[in-house]
Amino acid sequence: MPEQPFEQDRTIAGTGMGGAMDLATSEAQTLERTPGGPLGTGPAAKPRSLWSDAWRDLRRNPVFIVSALVILFLVVISLWPSLIASGSPLKCDLALAQEGSRPGAPFGYDGQGCNVYTRTVYGARTSVTVGVCATLGVALFGSVLGGLAGFFGGVWDSVLSRITDVFFAIPVVLGGLVLLSVVTSNTVWPVIGFMVLLGWPQISRIARGSVITVKQNDYVQAARALGASNSRIMLRHIAPNAVAPVIVVATIALGTYIALEATLSYLGVGLKPPSVSWGIDISAASPYIRNAPHALLWPSGALALTVLAFIMLGDAVRDALDPKLR
C-alpha cells in the first residue's frame, strides 16, 4: 500500500459542546490571535486587572456618576467660591436680619443679617478641606500601622491591637468636647488632628486584616522564596492587592468626618466665628427656626447632600472593588 503524502500538522480545538474538530496548526494559531475567538488567549485578548474591571463597572453605575458630579461641583466651589457667589461671607447688616429671599440673596438672610447663600457656598470650602485632609491623614497613618502589624505579626501586632482597643473605647463626640475645648486656635488643623487621632484605629484594623489575607497568597510566598526583601514584598506584592478595602472605608468615612466637623462646630468646640462653617451657621440659626427657617434649611441641606454624596460614592466603589458582588 503506497505511503500517503505527509499532511500538514493538525490540532484539536474544543467546540464548547463536548466534541472536538480538527484544525490545521496555522488555523488554530489564527483563531488564538482573534480577540473574539472562542479561545480568547491571543496577544490581543489582554487580561483585565481588578482596577480596570472596577473602573468599567463604575462608569456604568448611575449612582457613581451622580455622586461624582456632586462631589466635583463641591470641590470646584471650594476652590473658587467667587464663581457662583459674590460678596464676602463675613459682611452682615442687622437691618436685613431674618429677611427672606431677594435679588442677590436667593437664600435670604440669617439672624445677624448675613447672606445665607454666600455663607453656604463658602462653607463648602471648610467642610471639604476638613474631610479630605482628615481622610488622607487617617488612611496613611492607619494603613502604615495596620499593614506593618499584619505583615510582621508577633509582639508588634499584639501591642497595636491593644492600643487600637483603647482608642475604640473613646466616644468620638465626647473626646472632641474634651480635647478641643482647650484649643485656642481658630483654624481647621486642630479639628483635623483630632479626627486623625481618633480615626486611625478603624483603618488600621481594615489594613491589618487585608494584609494578613494577601500575604498568604502563593505569589507572595514565591517572591519570598526567590529572596525578595520585606520592603519589596510589601510595596510590590502586598500593598497593591490589599489597598482596595482601605479605599472603600476611607471614601465612606470622608462623609462621616464632614458631619463630625459640623457637629463639633455646632457644639462650639470645633471651628469658631469668624470662620465660615455649615455647623456654625446651623448653630446660629437654631434659635430662629420659627421666624427664619430658611437660615437653617440651606446649610443643613448642603451638609446632608455632601455627606450623602460621599457615602453613595463609597458604596459604588465598594460594589466595584468587591468581586463577590459582581
Side-chain angles (χ1 to χ4, degrees), residues 93-134:
D93 186 357
L94 287 176
L96 300 174
Q98 302 182 19
E99 292 291 334
S101 176
R102 63 173 57 189
F107 295 172
Y109 295 88
D110 62 11
Q112 299 297 322
C114 302
N115 192 325
V116 177
Y117 172 76
T118 302
R119 290 187 63 87
T120 301
V121 172
Y122 276 82
R125 170 180 292 177
T126 301
S127 296
V128 172
T129 301
V130 171
V132 171
C133 293

Side-chain angles (χ1 to χ4, degrees), residues 17-318:
M17 301 172 58
M21 61 180 178
D22 292 340
L23 292 175
T25 303
S26 59
E27 294 172 349
Q29 293 173 350
T30 303
L31 186 60
E32 288 182 353
R33 297 191 190 98
T34 305
L39 297 180
T41 57
K46 297 180 179 179
R48 293 193 300 265
S49 64
L50 172 65
W51 301 102
S52 61
D53 281 342
W55 175 239
R56 184 190 60 178
D57 293 341
L58 288 174
R59 289 181 299 177
R60 301 176 181 177
N61 190 342
V63 174
F64 171 78
I65 295 175
V66 173
S67 59
L69 290 176
V70 173
I71 293 172
L72 179 62
F73 173 74
L74 291 171
V75 172
V76 171
I77 66 173
S78 299
L79 296 175
W80 303 284
S82 59
L83 291 177
I84 62 173
S86 59
S88 171
L90 302 179
K91 183 180 179 180
C92 303
D93 186 357
L94 287 176
L96 300 174
Q98 302 182 19
E99 292 291 334
S101 176
R102 63 173 57 189
F107 295 172
Y109 295 88
D110 62 11
Q112 299 297 322
C114 302
N115 192 325
V116 177
Y117 172 76
T118 302
R119 290 187 63 87
T120 301
V121 172
Y122 276 82
R125 170 180 292 177
T126 301
S127 296
V128 172
T129 301
V130 171
V132 171
C133 293
T135 301
L136 290 176
V138 167
L140 292 175
F141 189 63
S143 297
V144 171
L145 292 181
L148 293 176
F151 183 76
F152 292 105
V155 177
W156 171 259
D157 188 15
S158 300
V159 172
L160 182 65
S161 297
R162 301 294 76 78
I163 295 176
T164 302
D165 293 338
V166 171
F167 277 90
F168 268 123
I170 301 176
V172 177
V173 176
L174 180 59
L177 290 173
V178 174
L179 296 178
L180 295 178
S181 61
V182 298
V183 176
T184 58
S185 175
N186 197 33
T187 64
V188 299
W189 300 114
V191 179
I192 294 174
F194 161 75
M195 293 181 181
V196 174
L197 179 63
L198 293 187
W200 68 267
Q202 181 185 19
I203 297 294
S204 177
R205 281 197 170 180
I206 297 296
R208 173 184 174 274
S210 183
V211 168
I212 290 176
T213 301
V214 172
K215 77 174 185 178
Q216 298 174 357
N217 291 332
D218 293 338
Y219 57 85
V220 176
Q221 304 301 326
R224 191 184 302 275
L226 292 174
S229 61
N230 288 334
S231 60
R232 180 178 178 84
I233 293 175
M234 280 287 294
L235 297 177
R236 296 293 299 274
H237 301 286
I238 293 182
N241 296 285
V243 73
V246 174
I247 293 177
V248 172
V249 175
T251 305
I252 298 177
L254 200 156
T256 305
Y257 294 141
I258 292 177
L260 178 59
E261 179 274 323
T263 302
L264 295 174
S265 298
Y266 178 87
L267 295 174
V269 296
L271 297 177
K272 303 174 182 63
S275 298
V276 181
S277 168
W278 290 334
I280 295 176
D281 291 347
I282 294 172
S283 177
S286 296
Y288 311 103
I289 187 173
R290 291 187 177 182
N291 299 329
H294 58 273
L296 178 66
L297 174 64
W298 291 109
S300 301
L303 174 63
L305 180 63
T306 302
V307 175
L308 179 62
F310 280 105
I311 292 177
M312 291 172 57
L313 180 70
D315 289 340
V317 173
R318 179 199 60 195

